[in-house]
Amino acid sequence: IAVLFFDFDRFKAVNDSLGHDAGDELLISISQRLVANVRDVDTAARFGGDEFVILLEDLPDTDTAKLVADKLLKACAKSHDVRGHKLVSTASIGLVTNETSDGGPAELLRFADAAMYEAKRRGRNCVVEFDSEMFNEQLDKLALEEDLQSAAANGELSVVYQSILDLNNGNIVAAEALLRWHHPTRGPIPPDMFIPIAEESSQIVAVGGWAFEAACRQLTDWRRRGVVSEDFAISVNISKTQVLMPGFVEYVTSQVDRYKLTRSSIKLEVTETTVVDNRADVGDVLQKLRDQGIRVMMDDFGTGHSSLSGLHLLPIDELKIDRSFIRSASGNTDLIAITSSIVTLADHLSLKTIGEGIESPDHIALLQSMGCNYGQGFLFSRPLPPEEFEAMVLERQGPAKKTAELN
């Protein structure tokens, strides 16, 4: 037997642009197409949302399962006629057979789901078969997921801070708080490894909240001791799951008030994809946060699907230009023109801009020539533990400040 796990692309865009009735019609069309391309002995099911599962039975071999998956991939790539529109919603397909897994139905579904996510990671509109390497990765992810549950209580989590400078005068005006995990046996776990695990398992609410409160406490301490000025701000990354958590606005404002911070001193960073792909759901929450005086930053701008023409519709105060633009812009006239257009339009919309990934004086000069407000990158500082960040700030402020701090 084989299990095929389907996820269809752009389904949410249809719901948002043409309405849920059109989305339902698209789901029906997808269902009919899947049923038409399998045998009577096979089972096609809608798993939830835009996810479908097909169980193929009585197969002669694994190669036949692959042939069926490829056939379904091509069938799914054809357009659907929905309310006068020709809609294309390609599929990402995960495939697993009982030759790979004999752990029962739940395991087959889980492995097929994992292969589907790998198909999405590879660019969508493809079939990925679950294999032994993915099996080991799944076991490793499950182990990390379990360990992450007790990481905060065991003192394994920490927050480091990377400086953000005013490109006009070189002053450190803010810092980005970044979560770190030091596993007791594995050592440091890269954020791009454990953050996705936290998001998939919904632990991001707990660990993200821990990081947010740690950043608030740290800013209060630095202000109390005069390490930073009252205008100094800290930005904290938040996920879609956190934003859509019931009572999130009240949680954020209550924590800021609890630590006696001004609302404008805490900035929330959300990725471009989170804002653009979930504008209807996320946008309302972000606007409520802004109404409460919390500043919202869009991170990784330029890597998602937003357009300059729609920038004025987004509920944000600041824009972080993705590091890929900064690193590749030197000598690339097209990228320079695009980056300059982003900065100029943001300025006209009263949005502050931050250039990420600054690693050379040329990057600074380029951003300064465009009128970019702030900069962040290894040229200024790597992410530092609180005590090292504090020492760097005091060093830049000069001997007088350091003497006052010692007294």
Side-chain angles (χ1 to χ4, degrees):
I1 66 170
V3 173
L4 305 179
F5 204 116
F6 295 71
D7 180 88
F8 286 87
D9 308 324
R10 298 184 65 250
F11 177 69
K12 191 175 188 308
V14 173
N15 271 343
D16 291 344
S17 59
L18 300 180
H20 286 272
D21 288 344
D24 288 345
E25 289 185 27
L26 177 58
L27 286 173
I28 292 169
S29 181
I30 288 172
S31 302
Q32 293 170 340
R33 189 167 297 176
L34 293 180
V35 170
N37 282 278
V38 295
R39 304 164 300 168
D40 291 340
V41 70
D42 300 322
T43 305
R46 182 181 175 209
F47 198 67
D50 60 342
E51 294 181 333
F52 290 78
V53 174
I54 291 179
L55 171 64
L56 304 175
E57 300 186 63
D58 297 329
L59 296 172
D61 50 44
T62 302
D63 289 339
T64 302
K66 295 177 184 176
L67 290 173
V68 174
D70 288 336
K71 173 188 173 184
L72 286 164
L73 184 71
K74 292 175 182 176
C76 291
K78 296 177 181 178
S79 63
H80 301 263
D81 292 318
V82 177
R83 301 195 170 192
H85 299 274
K86 285 194 174 295
L87 304 177
V88 176
S89 183
T90 56
S92 300
I93 306 176
L95 163 66
V96 64
T97 71
N98 58 331
E99 288 187 359
T100 304
S101 168
D102 57 2
E107 184 175 276
L108 279 169
L109 280 170
R110 188 171 75 248
F111 289 168
D113 187 28
M116 180 272 290
Y117 274 102
E118 178 63 18
K120 291 176 69 173
R121 191 189 69 80
R122 294 183 187 180
R124 305 175 186 270
N125 192 26
C126 64
V127 179
V128 170
E129 183 180 4
F130 191 85
D131 56 23
S132 58
E133 184 177 341
M134 287 187 200
F135 177 79
N136 292 329
E137 288 177 359
Q138 283 291 300
L139 291 179
D140 194 52
K141 282 179 64 176
L142 287 172
L144 284 175
E145 181 182 323
E146 184 177 352
D147 292 345
L148 186 58
Q149 294 176 12
S150 57
N154 293 339
E156 299 166 18
L157 299 182
S158 62
V159 176
V160 294
Y161 299 87
Q162 187 173 31
S163 59
I164 298 173
L165 277 67
D166 187 325
L167 293 180
N168 291 318
N169 54 34
N171 292 335
I172 300 176
V173 295
E176 179 180 359
L178 298 162
L179 184 63
R180 295 291 186 263
W181 180 18
H182 194 283
H183 193 277
T185 57
R186 300 180 185 224
I189 307 295
D192 60 1
M193 178 181 291
F194 77 83
I195 293 297
I197 291 174
E199 290 177 341
E200 291 172 17
S201 63
S202 297
Q203 292 188 65
I204 194 65
V205 172
V207 298
W210 185 92
F212 178 74
E213 293 175 35
C216 289
R217 282 195 304 272
Q218 188 62 70
L219 182 55
T220 297
D221 177 61
W222 279 338
R223 282 187 173 181
R224 180 182 59 81
R225 295 189 291 110
V227 176
V228 299
S229 69
E230 290 296 312
D231 295 330
F232 187 88
I234 286 182
S235 63
V236 183
N237 295 279
I238 57 171
S239 71
K240 180 184 74 173
T241 303
Q242 289 173 276
V243 174
L244 297 179
M245 178 181 70
F248 181 68
V249 175
E250 293 74 18
Y251 166 75
V252 170
T253 53
S254 66
Q255 292 301 321
V256 172
D257 295 343
R258 172 189 174 191
Y259 290 102
K260 297 179 172 57
L261 296 168
T262 56
R263 299 281 176 89
S264 60
S265 63
I266 293 295
K267 304 177 184 181
L268 300 182
E269 290 197 29
V270 290
T271 63
E272 178 186 5
T273 302
T274 295
V275 177
V276 175
D277 289 356
N278 306 276
R279 189 180 302 177
D281 301 320
V282 171
D284 182 55
V285 179
L286 297 182
Q287 187 56 56
K288 288 179 180 178
L289 286 164
R290 296 176 71 208
D291 292 341
Q292 293 294 322
I294 305 294
R295 285 186 284 179
V296 176
M297 305 170 67
M298 180 188 280
D299 196 12
D300 302 333
F301 185 80
T303 60
H305 309 291
S306 57
S307 65
L308 292 179
S309 62
L311 196 55
H312 67 289
L313 300 173
L314 302 177
I316 58 173
D317 301 287
E318 300 184 17
L319 200 64
K320 297 188 83 170
I321 303 170
D322 188 68
R323 66 188 72 245
S324 61
F325 278 75
I326 310 304
R327 290 175 177 173
S328 305
S330 299
N332 187 323
T333 55
D334 290 339
L335 277 181
I336 291 174
I338 293 171
T339 307
S340 181
S341 297
I342 293 172
V343 173
T344 300
L345 181 57
D347 183 58
H348 288 163
L349 296 173
S350 299
L351 301 176
K352 299 296 184 182
T353 48
I354 303 169
E356 293 187 288
I358 297 176
E359 297 183 355
S360 73
D362 288 343
H363 292 161
I364 297 177
L366 181 64
L367 290 170
Q368 285 176 329
S369 69
M370 296 175 180
C372 184
N373 305 107
Y374 306 113
Q376 179 180 356
F378 289 169
L379 180 66
F380 306 131
S381 167
R382 290 181 176 273
L384 300 171
E387 59 276 8
E388 293 183 29
F389 185 89
E390 178 178 329
M392 178 188 68
V393 171
L394 293 174
E395 181 69 30
R396 292 177 67 92
Q397 290 173 335
K401 181 66 180 180
K402 284 190 289 183
T403 301
E405 174 67 19
L406 289 172
N407 293 334

